[in-house]
Amino acid sequence: MFDFNQISLADIDEDSEFIPILSVEDEEKLSTEKVPKELPILPLRNTVLFPGVVIPITVGRDKSVKLINEAYASNKIIGVVSQKEGQVEDPSFGQLNDIGTVAFIIKVLKMPDGNTTVIIQGKRRFRIIEPVQTEPYFKAKIEAYGHVESVRSDKKFQALVGSLKDLALQIIKQSPNIPTEAAFAIKNIDNPSFLVNFTSSNMSAEVEEKQKLLEVVDLTERATLLLGHLTKELQMLELKNDIQSKVRTDIDKQQKEFFLHQQMKQIQEELGENPVEQEIEEMRKTAKKKKWNKDIAKQFNKELDKLQRMNPAVGEYGVQMNYLETLLDLPWGEYTKDRFDIKDAEKILNEDHYGLEKVKDRILEHLAVLKLKGNMKSPILCFLGPPGVGKTSLGKSVARALGRKYIRMSLGGLRDEAEIRGHRKTYIGAMPGRIIQNIKKAKSSNPVFVLDEIDKVGSDFHGDPSSALLEVLDPEQNTNFYDNYIEIDYDLSKVMFIATANTLNTVQPALRDRMEVIDISGYIVEEKIEIAKKYLIPKQLRENGFKKSQLQFSKEVLEKIVEDYTRESGVRNLEKRISKIIRYTAKLITLSKKYDIKIKPGGLVAILGPAYSKDKYQDNAIAGVVTGLAWTSVGGDILFIEVSLSKGKGKLTLTGNLGDVMKESAIIALEYLKANCAKLNLDADIFNNWNVHIHIPEGATPKDGPSAGITMFTALVSAFTQRKVKPKIAMTGELTLRGKVLPVGGIKEKILAAKRANITDIILPKENKKDIKAISSIYLKGLNFHYVNNLMEAVKMALLQEKVKSSVKV
């Protein structure tokens, strides 16, 4: 973008009616003129004077005005140099550039605003040697700079000059601020040297860039550098024009669209057409393609006719429109085709999950029935087990095996019944329940629908979501599921609902009765190692950007992680520990530090910290301490029943945050011992002389249930007889006041807890023998089971005749 305004004042010369253009001869005369040894120096703030170029300058400084007046009165020759920093008001010699131009003062004009304008023409370039004076204005010794530039005739140079002229003309054409007379001036310049100087002087560039051009001695080099500046300037100008054109086009487009819409509206009014009517007609056409029955079609057409009578401007119109769109979006009678390949389904289930044979068999049974019958109501399965055993991910595998769509709905913390059944559409912001919303999202009426954490559904004044689920999870009722929003029965009988829960204690009995519960117990160490190898390690390596060859976990390392750094039935914490090791290694790689590809057991402490203090079997050096087996929501665990005797009057104290059922078991155990003390060679008066204190450690943890009954009785007998307990033995079972041992639940979880604690012998109620037979032999390896009918049998198996060495003499 040229700044040709700076040369327009050349027309002030009364003898010239055009911009001065130098011929080759004129420039040679200027170039051959001798340069004076001394010249007054005029600093220029915002411009650079080039040889041959005429420019107007406004002079405002007192020093500069005095210099111009004296020079104009004498030989009219001055030296012009640009300042290094244009904002400096009173520059020193050091703040001036060394290279400048000898100038001839053509005319001095007094302007109406009081300023002085000087029209000068450049002659030859010079270099300042040293300053001579600074007051009243600058004067310096100078010498000629550069050489006389001869006209070159080679083709390369001529092409370069032609390109300069073309670029300059394009810039003038593109810029709206440059007068068209400028193009005339450019076209009439035949002198290449003057063309370069003229274009350099008038191009839109910083003073520093122009000064660099002035200092270049070689004409070809200067022309090449100028060509680069002009190319960049043209590109910026074209970009600016393009942006302005786009903005103008967008505005024009908006105006055009508004105009067309107004015309269309007017035409529709003239023809009697209405876009609202067209939308309603499209909905009517879509409804004809839906696979719904006559009752639903009748309801839809009734609501659609109601919409047609409404004014589109009222608020109810949008509510009615949303309702009808929801009806159209639901997959009425649309089903995905089930995959009946039993072998392929078994392969998929085995690929996704290790073990869990009971669950896999149940899914394959369902598929087999579907294949034989062709149609059946989907069962309501409930996967029950501790966290991290794969309950939720099983649902996704089931969907993949069946070839169905997959939906997961979390019920944790759900308290509002409307989340299940929806709101009536008369409410503001009404919408269907989450069951219908997810069916609409799946676009299929027979997906696999996972109801996650069904045991954590709450209830408050908004209603009881568990009760709302009764209809959803009943195969006899969910053929006509009623949602408050759609107000039409929807068939959910083809949906395969799978619920997951950690415990059934908090699930409504009626809801529990509607589901087929499949227990998924925890994993033993060997299973966890296999799961880590096949699933967890490849997954974490992939998620952390590792290749399989970059890091390897041995069986010993995995076994140590499982036993020393996890206390769980599932594998969620195991995955976290593996991820921690991989992240630690990633840090070493990024820091270019050495690391072992094979993780060593001894290096785990540096990565994972100190190992957990595990619940291992404690020795039998103290009488009255017996190991029991307990079931918790996160799997099995062991607990220690501690009985302490002190002199007193037979008071019973129970501590350890025990529930009512466990307290009752302790009372029954003590009363049975009192009633049958003769069988154990105990004096009846002994109970009147000793206080009994029963404690279960980890007092902050609530404990309840009847399964610690025989453990409490055995601990009491050991305390009163001071007999040692057999090493590495644990027990579980409920007692009665008659001394019977009743069966308990959670046997598999308790067995896994015993294996983790290195227990070798387990005492169980005789009726629990059937539960042991149903457990795979891999879980029973290394364990000896002893079955009892009554408490005396348990004592006989659990206690040795040897007594402990103690200061307590009972």
Side-chain angles (χ1 to χ4, degrees), residues 70 212 240-242 277 280 369 386 512 531 564 626 721 753:
E70 290 186 7
K212 288 179 183 177
K240 179 181 177 182
N241 291 339
D242 186 45
E277 291 292 335
I280 291 174
V369 175
R512 188 167 59 226
I531 292 170
D564 293 353
V626 181
T721 62

Side-chain angles (χ1 to χ4, degrees), residues 624-675:
V625 180
V626 181
T627 306
L629 299 176
W631 179 92
T632 69
S633 61
V634 294
D637 201 357
I638 67 169
L639 51 83
F640 301 101
I641 308 295
E642 300 177 349
V643 176
S644 174
L645 303 179
S646 60
K647 286 287 185 179
K649 297 182 179 180
K651 179 183 176 183
L652 174 63
T653 303
L654 302 173
T655 56
N657 202 351
L658 309 184
D660 292 337
V661 177
M662 191 169 276
K663 289 178 180 177
E664 290 172 358
S665 296
I667 295 170
I668 293 171
L670 182 59
E671 290 302 319
Y672 183 79
L673 179 59
K674 289 179 180 179

Side-chain angles (χ1 to χ4, degrees), residues 133-370:
Q133 69 174 42
T134 57
E135 296 296 338
Y137 47 78
F138 292 138
K139 186 179 281 189
K141 289 182 179 181
I142 64 170
E143 65 178 1
Y145 179 79
H147 51 76
V148 178
E149 295 168 336
S150 59
V151 179
R152 297 176 58 181
S153 58
D154 59 278
K155 292 183 179 180
K156 185 176 180 181
F157 181 76
Q158 293 298 328
L160 182 61
V161 173
S163 298
L164 281 175
K165 188 174 287 191
D166 290 342
L167 274 176
L169 291 173
Q170 287 183 53
I171 292 173
I172 293 169
K173 185 178 179 181
Q174 291 274 0
S175 178
N177 301 322
I178 301 177
T180 54
E181 292 83 0
F184 173 78
I186 294 290
K187 288 177 182 178
N188 285 280
I189 297 176
D190 294 326
N191 182 359
S193 177
F194 180 67
L195 176 67
V196 172
N197 289 337
F198 181 77
T199 310
S200 300
S201 178
N202 291 288
M203 73 175 185
S204 178
E206 298 293 331
V207 173
E208 290 82 3
E209 292 182 7
K210 291 184 177 182
Q211 180 66 27
K212 288 179 183 177
L213 285 171
L214 181 67
E215 293 177 1
V216 175
V217 175
D218 185 71
L219 180 60
T220 304
E221 185 182 346
R222 197 183 330 147
T224 304
L225 187 60
L226 176 61
L227 185 66
H229 284 300
L230 293 183
T231 303
K232 183 179 177 182
E233 190 173 337
L234 179 61
Q235 289 173 350
M236 293 297 293
L237 191 59
E238 287 175 344
L239 182 61
K240 179 181 177 182
N241 291 339
D242 186 45
I243 293 170
Q244 290 177 345
S245 175
K246 284 181 179 178
V247 172
R248 186 166 56 251
T249 302
D250 289 342
I251 294 173
D252 292 344
K253 184 180 178 182
Q254 291 175 4
Q255 292 173 342
K256 182 180 178 182
E257 288 177 353
F258 176 76
F259 177 70
L260 290 175
H261 280 305
Q262 293 298 318
Q263 281 188 324
M264 188 184 297
K265 186 177 179 182
Q266 189 66 32
I267 292 169
Q268 287 173 346
E269 289 178 359
E270 292 291 333
L271 295 176
E273 294 180 358
N274 192 327
V276 175
E277 291 292 335
Q278 291 178 357
E279 189 173 11
I280 291 174
E281 190 60 32
E282 287 177 4
M283 294 177 75
R284 204 181 297 277
K285 288 179 181 177
T286 305
K288 290 180 181 179
K289 299 177 184 177
K290 300 296 289 184
K291 298 176 183 179
W292 48 31
N293 58 38
K294 293 181 180 179
D295 293 336
I296 301 174
K298 183 179 178 181
Q299 174 76 6
F300 177 83
N301 290 326
K302 177 184 174 183
E303 296 293 334
L304 190 62
D305 293 339
K306 182 179 177 181
L307 177 72
Q308 199 167 10
R309 294 191 297 269
M310 283 185 179
N311 183 351
V314 300
E316 289 184 10
Y317 183 87
V319 174
Q320 188 73 0
M321 177 65 76
N322 290 337
Y323 171 71
L324 292 170
E325 287 177 347
T326 301
L327 291 183
L328 287 175
D329 290 341
L330 281 171
W332 302 90
E334 298 175 17
Y335 306 102
T336 55
K337 188 176 181 180
D338 285 326
R339 188 187 296 125
F340 296 122
D341 191 337
I342 307 297
K343 290 184 178 179
D344 187 50
E346 186 176 14
K347 181 182 177 183
I348 290 172
L349 291 172
N350 288 330
E351 281 178 1
D352 291 349
H353 291 83
Y354 182 83
L356 306 179
E357 303 302 331
K358 190 176 179 182
V359 185
K360 294 174 183 176
D361 287 343
R362 181 62 188 86
I363 303 304
L364 296 176
E365 288 170 5
H366 174 65
L367 273 176
V369 175
L370 277 175

Side-chain angles (χ1 to χ4, degrees), residues 33 37 124 152 168 194 214 272 310 368 396 399 418 529 571 578 606 761 773 808:
E33 288 184 4
K37 292 182 180 180
R124 278 199 69 180
R152 297 176 58 181
F194 180 67
L214 181 67
M310 283 185 179
K396 190 176 291 186
I529 291 172
V571 291
I578 291 170
D761 292 85
K773 291 181 178 179
V808 179

Side-chain angles (χ1 to χ4, degrees), residues 726-742:
K726 283 184 180 179
K728 295 186 177 182
I729 193 168
M731 60 191 71
T732 182
E734 182 181 354
L735 54 74
T736 70
L737 204 53
R738 295 177 297 154
K740 293 285 186 181
V741 178
L742 301 182

Side-chain angles (χ1 to χ4, degrees), residues 359-579:
V359 185
K360 294 174 183 176
D361 287 343
R362 181 62 188 86
I363 303 304
L364 296 176
E365 288 170 5
H366 174 65
L367 273 176
V369 175
L370 277 175
K371 187 173 184 178
L372 291 175
K373 189 179 180 183
N375 183 27
M376 68 172 288
K377 292 179 180 178
S378 289
I380 312 297
L381 303 178
C382 178
F383 296 155
L384 176 66
V389 295
K391 301 185 297 298
T392 306
S393 60
L394 260 172
K396 190 176 291 186
S397 297
V398 170
R400 193 158 77 95
L402 292 172
R404 294 189 180 189
K405 298 290 182 66
Y406 170 76
I407 300 172
R408 176 186 166 274
M409 175 179 164
S410 178
L411 298 177
L414 194 71
R415 292 180 175 273
D416 192 349
E417 180 192 347
E419 291 284 338
I420 305 297
R421 288 192 176 277
H423 302 81
R424 296 194 179 277
K425 64 176 183 288
T426 52
Y427 290 106
I428 296 174
M431 62 179 64
R434 289 172 63 183
I435 300 291
I436 293 297
Q437 285 183 43
N438 283 296
I439 293 291
K440 183 175 75 172
K441 191 186 299 181
K443 298 181 180 179
S444 168
S445 292
N446 66 334
V448 172
F449 202 124
V450 176
L451 298 169
D452 214 5
E453 310 290 357
I454 199 170
D455 56 325
K456 296 175 181 61
V457 176
S459 62
D460 59 10
F461 61 92
H462 292 294
D464 183 7
S466 296
S467 300
L469 284 171
L470 292 175
E471 183 183 4
V472 176
L473 299 182
D474 191 338
E476 299 300 325
Q477 297 180 32
N478 63 12
T479 53
N480 300 309
F481 173 68
Y482 185 85
D483 187 276
N484 292 326
Y485 182 81
I486 62 174
E487 296 179 338
I488 301 173
D489 291 340
Y490 195 89
D491 186 6
L492 297 177
S493 62
K494 304 295 188 299
V495 178
M496 186 172 185
F497 287 102
I498 296 177
T500 72
N502 298 132
T503 176
L504 292 179
N505 295 337
T506 57
V507 179
Q508 265 195 34
L511 187 59
R512 188 167 59 226
D513 184 60
R514 283 163 166 77
M515 299 184 294
E516 179 182 343
V517 179
I518 299 177
D519 286 311
I520 303 176
S521 56
Y523 300 107
I524 60 175
V525 174
E526 290 77 10
E527 287 179 320
K528 290 182 179 181
I529 291 172
E530 290 301 317
I531 292 170
K533 285 182 179 179
K534 292 183 178 180
Y535 305 102
L536 306 183
I537 294 174
K539 175 187 173 185
Q540 288 301 322
L541 287 174
R542 186 171 57 253
E543 290 185 356
N544 289 281
F546 275 71
K547 296 178 181 178
K548 290 183 179 179
S549 59
Q550 286 183 284
L551 201 61
Q552 296 176 8
F553 290 78
S554 65
K555 183 179 179 180
E556 291 75 19
V557 168
L558 291 174
E559 186 174 349
K560 188 171 180 61
I561 295 172
V562 171
E563 292 185 344
D564 293 353
Y565 291 95
T566 62
R567 298 177 66 179
E568 57 175 349
S569 296
V571 291
R572 191 166 287 146
N573 284 325
L574 174 59
E575 184 175 8
K576 291 177 183 177
R577 300 296 178 268
I578 291 170
S579 177

Side-chain angles (χ1 to χ4, degrees), residues 663-802:
K663 289 178 180 177
E664 290 172 358
S665 296
I667 295 170
I668 293 171
L670 182 59
E671 290 302 319
Y672 183 79
L673 179 59
K674 289 179 180 179
N676 297 274
C677 60
K679 295 180 181 180
L680 298 167
N681 298 321
L682 292 174
D683 188 356
D685 292 335
I686 196 173
F687 301 104
N688 299 322
N689 301 323
W690 294 89
N691 291 333
V692 180
H693 187 161
I694 300 178
H695 175 70
I696 301 179
E698 297 186 28
T701 305
K703 309 169 192 71
D704 203 4
S707 62
I710 66 168
T711 316
M712 288 181 171
F713 180 77
T714 305
L716 285 169
V717 174
S718 174
F720 276 101
T721 62
Q722 292 294 294
R723 289 165 61 184
K724 283 186 176 183
V725 181
K726 283 184 180 179
K728 295 186 177 182
I729 193 168
M731 60 191 71
T732 182
E734 182 181 354
L735 54 74
T736 70
L737 204 53
R738 295 177 297 154
K740 293 285 186 181
V741 178
L742 301 182
V744 291
I747 296 299
K748 186 176 180 181
E749 286 81 2
K750 291 175 180 178
I751 288 173
L752 293 177
K755 285 180 74 71
R756 288 198 298 269
N758 290 337
I759 299 292
T760 58
D761 292 85
I762 298 177
I763 296 176
L764 295 175
K766 197 162 190 177
E767 291 185 36
N768 281 122
K769 192 171 185 178
K770 62 180 185 299
D771 298 306
I772 298 298
K773 291 181 178 179
I775 298 173
S776 175
S777 59
I778 190 173
Y779 296 97
L780 309 179
K781 187 177 180 181
L783 294 175
N784 300 314
F785 296 95
H786 310 278
Y787 304 101
V788 296
N789 278 320
N790 57 65
L791 293 174
M792 291 303 175
E793 291 179 6
V795 170
K796 186 177 180 181
M797 289 182 181
L799 297 184
L800 301 172
Q801 293 299 323
E802 180 186 357

